[in-house]
Amino acid sequence: MDSDIESIAFTEEQIAAKVRELGKELSVKYADKFPLFVGILKGSFVFMSDLVRAVDIPCEVDFMAVSSYGSGTSTTGRVNILKDLGCNIEGRHVVIVEDVLDSGVTLSYLKKCLLLRKPASLEICTLLDKPARRKVDIHSNYVGFECPDAFIVGYGLDYSEKYRNLPYIGVLKPEVYE
Ligand code: IMP
Ligand code: MG
């Protein structure tokens, strides 16, 4: 797997330090609010598991699965809900946890969809942000790292379902997907 990586974007240590910071920030912001962290599968599963262990207040965890990518490297623009939440979020403080904010299509669709369910508040936490690629107007309330416009994998992020188990985040060699 390592031989398909052109360069390391963020090391395991850099990610761990950043996730601890985000966890502290969320713990202060959501103290006494019993937040519900909603991870967007599959990309967020590694980030989510580290993030909630960096949060030291009572919280709840749930997941949604959506698809918009197929097997390519850019969004198809259509979002389908493959798995919905198992709980009612009316009156709850909800934080969407996502791996990367790219075009913004996925998160803006999800945000609209969850707001209709009348949560007490709704914020977004993404490990990575690629502002240069935004197609819709949306921003993340908590961002780990801004990253360049390159296709990255690892720490939950995949290319065609591969590389999610890399412990760091790396730039995939273009010849792997060209
Ligand atoms: P958006 O709707 O374009 O913002 O797409 C966001 C989703 O695309 C993320 O949840 C990721 O699953 C996926 N994605 C975007 N950029 C990358 C990347 O560089 N590597 C792997 N997946 C990506
Ligand atoms: Mg994703």
Side-chain angles (χ1 to χ4, degrees):
M1 277 196 305
D2 292 320
S3 59
D4 293 346
I5 304 301
E6 186 172 80
S7 60
I8 294 184
F10 304 103
T11 64
E12 254 186 282
E13 293 73 22
Q14 286 173 316
I15 297 168
K18 188 61 80 175
V19 171
R20 274 197 299 275
E21 259 174 48
L22 290 170
K24 270 191 200 145
E25 207 180 331
L26 289 164
S27 302
V28 172
K29 176 79 193 266
Y30 285 94
D32 304 317
K33 292 201 166 122
F34 191 48
L36 170 67
F37 294 108
V38 173
I40 309 308
L41 294 171
K42 300 175 193 169
S44 72
F45 82 105
V46 180
F47 176 41
M48 177 69 132
S49 73
D50 285 342
L51 183 67
V52 293
R53 284 178 292 171
V55 163
D56 61 4
I57 54 163
C59 65
E60 205 177 322
V61 172
D62 203 347
F63 290 94
M64 287 178 86
V66 298
S67 72
S68 67
Y69 261 58
S71 60
T73 59
S74 67
T75 183
T76 58
R78 272 204 339 268
V79 182
N80 297 309
I81 294 186
L82 305 176
K83 180 219 172 296
D84 206 337
L85 294 173
C87 62
N88 182 359
I89 62 167
E90 189 173 339
R92 296 294 305 273
H93 294 279
V94 176
V95 181
I96 300 177
V97 177
E98 174 64 309
D99 49 5
V100 50
L101 179 53
D102 187 33
S103 73
V105 171
T106 309
L107 278 175
S108 88
Y109 172 85
L110 276 171
K111 196 175 166 185
K112 270 185 213 133
C113 167
L114 293 184
L115 280 174
L116 291 173
R117 304 179 189 182
K118 301 190 168 46
S121 66
L122 182 64
E123 288 195 311
I124 297 175
C125 174
T126 57
L127 180 62
L128 302 156
D129 185 11
K130 291 185 188 171
R133 289 181 41 99
R134 206 74 86 249
K135 284 192 190 137
V136 296
D137 182 27
I138 183 157
H139 95 285
S140 176
N141 305 89
Y142 308 88
V143 175
F145 304 101
E146 261 198 25
C147 71
D149 179 8
F151 198 78
I152 48 178
V153 294
Y155 198 72
L157 291 133
D158 74 309
Y159 170 64
S160 219
E161 298 303 324
K162 240 178 114 179
Y163 311 105
R164 294 194 196 275
N165 57 326
L166 281 178
Y168 58 87
I169 295 172
V171 177
L172 194 60
K173 284 182 181 163
E175 59 258 38
V176 176
Y177 54 83
E178 265 164 5

